[in-house]
Amino acid sequence: MNTTKKLNQFLCRAAPLTLTLIVLSACQSTAPATSSATAQYLLLGEVHDNSAGHKVRQEAIRQTLQQDKSMTMVLEQFDTDQQTALDEAQRVCGTADCLLQKLRKPGLQWQWPLYQPLIQLALDQKIPMIAGNLSREQARRVMKEGYGAVFDAATLKRWQLRDNGANNSPTDLQPHQTVLQMQQQEVIQAHCGQLPLSMAEGMAKAQMARDIVMADKLLQQPGRSILIAGNGHVRKDIGVAYWLRFAGAKPAYSHVYAESAIDAAAADAQTQISKQARPDPCAGLIINSKPKETP
């Protein structure tokens, strides 16, 4: 029986009433199509600010590492240009607070207290942590200039990435055009349906570029690896798992921790977590007003 299934059964039987909201997901998780115990890559999602989801996922990771302490952890929360600093922090720091003091970047809005238990677990278990994300500046360049702004020619060829241009036909945009279109819709939805399509394309490409970088970091690891990233990144249909399949990698297991159900095809397993209290992000938001009608 795999670790996640054992955890789910334990939580459903033994969780006290006060923890019901936190562990609700474990009782409602869908059966995985790929085994987390045998997959080369465990892609574990999150709603970034949801404390309940972090707690449930943390326990699943703890039990996984009890079975396999040779794993590597790739994290969206650290940019690839921080790897040298991350390596040094792992060498000298015994606490998550020490590591985060050395790695924090000005302007990044991660809620670090939610990640401290995970980072401490990695430090205690000597699990190597790998920075897996593009920097904000790199993502902005992809939005404005396309993939070629951050990827060299060999990388563009390897992942078959092409930007729109005068010499591109619809066939030239394959094989990833469907993923791009789906990512555009996700971006528009995330911006309350108000984002112009012209802006959505650049933002979708930046999301895809991030996914490719994370996939590449996983592929570089010598053994089994865990990816810690947002739910959108770990999706099977358009996220990191898609790019791993495209690269012909060994099987990946995608597990989202979500506040509402997602399409079953998007993950091997999904855990429904209680909704985090937060202001309505769409309240008063105006990005793309409708054009005035002409008489």
Side-chain angles (χ1 to χ4, degrees):
M1 184 182 295
N2 65 52
T3 301
T4 302
K5 188 172 182 180
K6 288 180 181 178
L7 173 62
N8 290 350
Q9 291 180 349
F10 167 76
L11 291 173
C12 293
R13 289 197 309 265
L17 182 60
T18 55
L19 292 179
T20 298
L21 287 178
I22 293 177
V23 302
L24 177 63
S25 69
C27 307
Q28 297 182 352
S29 294
T30 57
T34 302
S35 170
S36 63
T38 59
Q40 181 77 2
Y41 307 106
L42 303 182
L43 315 182
L44 305 182
E46 66 184 38
V47 177
H48 296 311
D49 67 346
N50 191 295
S51 58
H54 280 271
K55 290 177 182 178
V56 176
R57 185 184 63 180
Q58 172 81 4
E59 179 60 17
I61 293 171
R62 185 187 67 80
Q63 292 200 14
T64 296
L65 294 179
Q66 285 182 343
Q67 303 298 319
D68 186 354
K69 290 184 171 63
S70 66
M71 302 184 79
T72 301
M73 191 178 295
V74 177
L75 297 102
E76 175 195 4
Q77 291 72 29
F78 298 121
D79 299 340
T80 55
D81 61 9
Q82 294 179 288
Q83 189 62 56
T84 300
L86 180 56
D87 289 342
E88 175 64 12
Q90 290 178 87
R91 188 181 70 82
V92 302
C93 288
T95 67
D97 185 64
C98 168
L99 184 143
L100 290 173
Q101 288 296 329
K102 295 179 180 296
L103 269 292
R104 281 194 178 102
K105 265 190 176 183
L108 294 184
Q109 302 301 316
W110 297 107
Q111 296 188 22
W112 291 116
L114 296 177
Y115 297 93
Q116 281 185 309
L118 177 64
I119 293 171
Q120 189 63 55
L121 178 63
L123 289 172
D124 292 343
Q125 299 289 337
K126 307 298 183 185
I127 303 300
M129 287 179 278
I130 306 298
N133 205 356
L134 286 177
S135 69
R136 284 191 173 186
E137 177 57 32
Q138 288 174 312
R140 279 194 288 265
R141 290 189 63 194
V142 174
M143 288 172 57
K144 295 179 180 178
E145 304 170 45
Y147 303 117
V150 297
F151 293 140
D152 60 23
T155 302
L156 293 174
K157 181 179 180 180
R158 176 189 178 196
W159 297 103
Q160 296 186 28
L161 300 174
R162 303 179 183 90
D163 291 306
N164 291 325
N167 296 324
N168 292 135
S169 69
T171 302
D172 292 328
L173 301 177
Q174 297 297 331
H176 310 305
Q177 185 68 4
T178 299
V179 174
L180 176 60
Q181 292 171 345
M182 292 175 68
Q183 286 282 16
Q184 285 177 305
Q185 292 306 311
E186 290 294 320
V187 167
I188 291 171
Q189 183 178 352
H191 289 79
C192 309
Q194 298 190 39
L195 197 69
L197 191 59
S198 58
M199 291 180 62
E201 181 176 350
M203 295 178 73
K205 286 183 176 181
Q207 184 81 343
M208 292 167 68
R210 289 188 176 105
D211 290 339
I212 290 168
V213 169
M214 293 181 208
D216 195 46
K217 290 298 179 182
L218 290 168
L219 291 169
Q220 292 173 22
Q221 306 315 310
R224 298 182 70 218
S225 304
I226 298 172
L227 173 66
I228 301 297
N231 284 330
H233 290 298
V234 307
R235 283 177 54 164
K236 291 177 62 178
D237 52 352
I238 60 175
V240 173
Y242 167 85
W243 296 102
L244 290 172
R245 289 196 308 276
F246 180 79
K250 294 180 180 180
Y253 170 90
S254 174
H255 191 150
V256 302
Y257 294 79
E259 295 177 343
S260 58
I262 68 168
D263 189 330
D268 293 300
Q270 54 183 294
T271 293
Q272 188 171 337
I273 53 178
S274 56
K275 188 174 182 180
Q276 183 75 23
R278 63 176 73 86
D280 181 1
C282 297
L285 179 67
I286 300 177
I287 298 177
N288 182 32
S289 57
K290 296 181 179 179
K292 295 181 179 179
E293 294 183 2
T294 56

